[in-house]
Amino acid sequence: MENNNEYSHLTLSELWDLLEEKQKELEAQNAAPVNYYTPGDSMTYLAAMSQCWGIEATRVEIREIETEISRRCRTAKEE
């Protein structure tokens, strides 16, 4: 499983920095003006959905980083 871990090359300190960076990115995404969908207009639909997908992708990344930090802290406690 360690081979498939995209964060395995980062230290715990770097993970905390990355988490903070992603949280700031999420705050900026949430503070951005909302793209509204105009019924029948595919461009506004794509803009609105892209904004939603971007926010959700950042949330997923934050959860993955938090999981990796928790896993490493648990491992350190067990040793």
Side-chain angles (χ1 to χ4, degrees):
M1 176 149 179
E2 188 70 30
N3 296 337
N4 297 330
N5 185 344
E6 67 181 290
Y7 302 109
S8 63
H9 66 284
L10 299 174
T11 65
L12 196 52
S13 177
E14 290 171 327
L15 282 171
W16 282 110
D17 292 342
L18 182 59
L19 179 61
E20 185 177 327
E21 178 185 317
K22 289 297 178 181
Q23 288 172 334
K24 287 180 183 177
E25 182 180 327
L26 182 61
E27 287 175 17
Q29 289 173 328
N30 286 328
V34 176
N35 294 325
Y36 290 100
Y37 168 60
T38 304
D41 183 355
S42 62
M43 292 309 292
T44 59
Y45 174 79
L46 289 175
M49 291 309 296
S50 292
Q51 188 175 34
C52 292
W53 293 327
I55 290 170
E56 184 57 29
T58 303
R59 287 180 181 155
V60 168
E61 285 182 86
I62 288 171
R63 283 192 295 269
E64 289 173 353
I65 295 167
E66 289 172 337
T67 301
E68 178 65 15
I69 290 171
S70 294
R71 185 186 68 77
R72 289 191 190 184
C73 289
R74 261 194 327 271
T75 304
K77 284 182 182 179
E78 291 172 0
E79 293 174 358

